[in-house]
Amino acid sequence: MAVAESQEVASLVPFLRTCPIVNLVPKLRSLLAGPDLPTDEDHASNQARNIQFELWLGATLWRVGVQVELAQPDLRCTIGEHIFLFACKRLFSVKRLTRRINEATDQLHRSLAHLPQGKSWGFIAISLSRVLSKTNRSEAIANPTEGLEQLASRIEALAQRRAK
């Protein structure tokens, strides 16, 4: 797990170099202060991996040509005249899904209130990595088809558990 996470952080470096240092330093401090393993996380100490998810999404959007800023609620993206805000949430448990969506919605409403209507939108990005993982170890996946099948199966199982 540590190898996979460190590789992910290393892949963020090109994007991180584009971020103003004043916005980046607090995030990197929090990222480096977290527990070494996901099994050592609790609700009070999972901020490091939450931030890693924000930075991963920002880097992914940046790589496809979107202008990305580390700004409230988590990411502010600009495409032409349009502004897209992202509230990133990483679930620690399925039981908190509704609460996390409500928190993200409130964050987006506050941030969008200061932006022009019709040219700005808000999105909630939810990481399911913690709740979909069967183990806290990287898993071998033989090919993309197997990976997509495993992902679909776990999301379906999660949806079924949540529906109850």
Side-chain angles (χ1 to χ4, degrees), residues 36-79:
D36 292 336
L37 297 172
T39 52
D40 296 336
E41 286 184 318
D42 59 30
H43 293 288
S45 68
N46 67 339
Q47 185 65 9
R49 285 180 179 81
N50 296 350
I51 288 172
Q52 186 169 337
F53 172 58
E54 293 171 20
L55 296 175
W56 172 84
L57 180 59
T60 301
L61 293 166
W62 175 82
R63 276 194 295 276
V64 298
V66 176
Q67 179 186 341
V68 180
E69 300 172 60
L70 304 178
Q72 292 298 321
D74 293 312
L75 300 172
R76 179 182 173 134
C77 301
T78 306
I79 302 174

Side-chain angles (χ1 to χ4, degrees), residues 5 27 30-54 88-93 96 100 103 127 129-131:
E5 286 184 336
K27 295 217 180 252
S30 294
L31 179 74
L32 296 171
D36 292 336
L37 297 172
T39 52
D40 296 336
E41 286 184 318
D42 59 30
H43 293 288
S45 68
N46 67 339
Q47 185 65 9
R49 285 180 179 81
N50 296 350
I51 288 172
Q52 186 169 337
F53 172 58
E54 293 171 20
C88 299
K89 300 298 175 194
R90 183 174 157 267
L91 291 184
F92 191 80
S93 72
R96 295 194 175 210
R100 303 298 283 163
E103 289 169 2
S127 169
S129 61
R130 182 171 174 88
V131 296

Side-chain angles (χ1 to χ4, degrees), residues 145-163:
T145 301
E146 180 185 326
L148 289 172
E149 287 171 0
Q150 282 184 19
L151 180 61
S153 171
R154 290 182 188 172
I155 290 173
E156 179 66 26
L158 174 65
Q160 291 298 324
R161 280 196 326 261
R162 182 68 183 155

